[in-house]
Amino acid sequence: MVLSRLTLIFILYFLSVSSATNPPPPDAAVCIVGAGIGGSSLAHFLRLYSTPDVDFHIRIFERNGVVGGRTATKIVSVANSVLMVLRYGFSLLKMNTFVQETVGNFLKYYESHESRPIFESVEEMLKWAGLYNLTTTTLGFKLADIGLSPLLINELVTVITRINYGQSVAISGLAGAVSLAGSDEGLWSIEGGNWQMASGLINHSNVALHLHEEIESISFVERYYELNSTKGKSYKCDIAVVATPLDEVKIQFTPQVSIPKRSLQHTYATFIRGLLNPEYFGLDSVSKIPELVGTIEHPDLSFSSISVLKQYDEKDMAYKVFSRKPMSDELLDSIFSLRKETIQINWGAYPHYKAPEVFAPFILDDRHLYYVNAFENAASTMETSAVAAENIARLILSRFFGQPPFSSSRSESNSDEGTLRVD
């Protein structure tokens, strides 16, 4: 997904810290499952916040051959225009006020941690920032309650949520507000791919990175967590952190852990080099088709959006199509007059949101097994993954290493240190 202003704040986010008072266990091992934004941010904040006398090493396990997880360019920017004001009127201002208030509350997570506690649950974290109530109702109900017109909700808001989360305005209010915030013009992305954010954090966090190594089981044996991988290897860890969604991975836990049942929303991303068929859209030329076509909720509409990625010439373009179901060749041949190349990806991108949301715990047992992605049921973005990981890092340093809740001394001395080891 693209980077917003909040991500820029996250990149520049360094806090002042003090020394720890209790010496930690020597040479502790932290094992992180998942090398996306959550896992990479966790490693970064563990190094950033730990005091010089804290001694631990970090292993990150990633089942794929690259880091970055599910980061992708997905959020759409919808620019205001005179026509939009004429069609939606003051509802646009009400929507903007709602989004700005929500973003303002979220920015509390970036305040100095002298004024910010460590949270042991997602509910605590949301209530402290004044965001919890938005997870108890749907976006559609919330927007209607604050006076937005049904026309705006059913058209513009629905198009945005279908593109950003592949879902309707029946998603929870907080996820919907985040989706609307992502439609702002002030968006950023990293040239070459947003996965580089995770790569950069890992490169500066002095970790052992295990690519193409999937963790099959996590067991607590005596005083250690034993992680067993698909390569037949076993690792002993003092602390284990799951930084990947447990919805579609098959990690066996001993003892078993209990989390609410949740499903991921699958988006089918179809990339096509060719040319759209103007007749399909009721037009007489390709030039009249907008660069972004978004759709409302209707059973006869087979895609969420079609957008132009690149124009080679007037008769040769690259397109990206989002849909909730696979696009058949027959359907694609009706939408496109020419298809030179077609690639389709089944992307388990986000949780399937519903209100009221029920959250998994940050701490999966009564020891040191943590779950970063518990926060995703509130909203799923690079920013939310980063702030959840930052909280988990502080939770680990406080609960396991005995650092004071507001302690960290490496924000200045460690900012340029760290190397990457690939095992």
Side-chain angles (χ1 to χ4, degrees):
M1 64 200 71
V2 295
L3 307 181
S4 69
R5 296 186 184 95
L6 296 182
T7 303
L8 297 183
I9 294 174
F10 161 62
I11 295 172
L12 300 174
Y13 179 50
F14 296 101
L15 304 177
S16 61
V17 288
S18 60
S19 299
T21 56
N22 298 322
D27 198 26
V30 180
C31 293
I32 302 172
V33 181
I37 291 299
S40 60
S41 296
L42 175 65
H44 165 73
F45 284 115
L46 282 172
R47 293 297 186 200
L48 180 68
Y49 288 175
S50 59
T51 53
D53 58 330
V54 168
D55 182 19
F56 62 90
H57 61 270
I58 301 173
R59 292 185 185 273
I60 298 181
F61 300 90
E62 173 55 53
R63 60 178 176 174
N64 299 308
V66 294
V67 303
R70 292 166 292 156
T71 55
T73 302
K74 186 170 180 180
I75 292 181
V76 57
S77 178
V78 180
N80 290 329
S81 67
V82 174
L83 291 176
M84 288 177 64
V85 173
L86 290 175
R87 185 167 182 83
Y88 302 122
F90 287 109
S91 283
L92 283 173
L93 296 176
K94 293 178 181 178
M95 183 179 77
N96 184 65
T97 299
F98 165 67
V99 171
Q100 293 305 316
E101 288 178 353
T102 305
V103 170
N105 285 339
F106 186 83
L107 286 175
K108 293 177 181 178
Y109 296 131
Y110 294 88
E111 294 175 358
S112 171
H113 52 317
E114 276 78 7
S115 60
R116 185 162 46 89
I118 299 174
F119 307 101
E120 294 198 356
S121 72
V122 179
E123 291 89 344
E124 272 183 48
M125 194 168 177
L126 293 171
K127 288 176 181 178
W128 178 83
L131 296 171
Y132 179 75
N133 287 343
L134 286 176
T135 70
T136 65
T137 188
T138 69
L139 175 65
F141 182 87
K142 177 63 179 179
L143 295 181
D145 186 55
I146 61 176
L148 268 68
S149 70
L151 187 65
L152 177 62
I153 295 171
N154 295 330
E155 290 185 354
L156 182 60
V157 176
T158 296
V159 167
I160 293 171
T161 58
R162 281 170 62 87
I163 294 174
N164 289 347
Y165 280 137
Q167 297 164 67
S168 71
V169 292
I171 65 177
S172 59
L174 181 55
V178 169
S179 181
L180 293 174
S183 67
D184 181 42
E185 291 179 311
L187 300 174
W188 303 76
S189 62
I190 299 176
E191 185 176 355
N194 291 337
W195 62 271
Q196 294 172 98
M197 173 76 77
S199 178
L201 291 171
I202 290 172
N203 277 332
H204 289 83
S205 299
N206 189 22
V207 309
L209 178 62
H210 301 253
L211 297 176
H212 291 297
E213 189 160 7
E214 184 173 1
I215 296 301
E216 294 182 310
S217 66
I218 300 176
S219 304
F220 185 77
V221 182
E222 295 180 355
R223 58 180 296 266
Y224 294 102
Y225 291 97
E226 185 177 277
L227 276 64
N228 295 297
S229 79
T230 51
K231 291 187 175 181
K233 295 182 179 180
S234 181
Y235 303 89
K236 281 188 175 182
C237 311
D238 298 274
I239 301 157
V241 185
V242 179
T244 189
L246 287 173
D247 312 278
E248 297 184 355
V249 297
K250 297 180 179 179
I251 300 177
Q252 298 295 319
F253 291 93
T254 304
Q256 291 186 349
V257 300
S258 177
I259 62 173
K261 185 174 176 56
R262 185 183 77 170
S263 60
L264 288 184
Q265 177 71 39
H266 280 249
T267 290
Y268 290 84
T270 306
F271 300 91
I272 295 170
R273 184 167 180 178
L275 199 65
L276 284 170
N277 177 12
E279 293 183 6
Y280 181 87
F281 300 92
L283 302 172
D284 55 16
S285 68
V286 174
S287 62
K288 292 183 179 180
I289 303 174
E291 290 191 359
L292 170 65
V293 179
T295 59
I296 61 174
E297 287 291 322
H298 193 283
D300 294 336
L301 295 173
S302 55
F303 62 89
S304 299
S305 66
I306 298 177
S307 58
V308 177
L309 289 177
K310 184 175 182 179
Q311 180 172 349
Y312 300 95
D313 57 48
E314 291 184 355
K315 296 184 178 181
D316 187 7
M317 300 187 186
Y319 299 91
K320 176 173 61 178
V321 183
F322 284 144
S323 60
R324 293 176 182 169
K325 296 180 180 179
M327 306 282 284
S328 67
D329 286 335
E330 181 181 5
L331 175 60
L332 290 172
D333 286 338
S334 67
I335 299 175
F336 291 84
S337 60
L338 173 66
R339 283 196 296 140
K340 293 182 179 180
E341 186 177 4
T342 302
I343 300 173
Q344 190 162 133
I345 299 172
N346 178 1
W347 185 25
Y350 304 107
H352 184 82
Y353 292 106
K354 58 183 180 180
E357 291 289 356
V358 179
F359 299 97
F362 277 143
I363 307 169
L364 293 175
D365 59 7
D366 58 356
R367 302 178 184 89
H368 297 286
L369 176 61
Y370 301 89
Y371 186 33
V372 176
N373 295 70
F375 197 87
E376 273 198 305
N377 263 39
S380 179
T381 66
M382 294 177 70
E383 289 80 14
T384 54
S385 294
V387 298
E390 190 262 358
N391 180 69
I392 295 291
R394 296 173 66 209
L395 199 56
I396 291 170
L397 291 171
S398 175
R399 294 181 76 244
F400 186 85
F401 293 101
Q403 284 195 188
F406 306 127
S407 168
S408 169
S409 65
R410 297 190 178 183
S411 56
E412 295 181 2
S413 61
N414 256 16
S415 58
D416 294 320
E417 294 180 3
T419 57
L420 173 66
R421 298 201 319 273
V422 178
D423 290 353

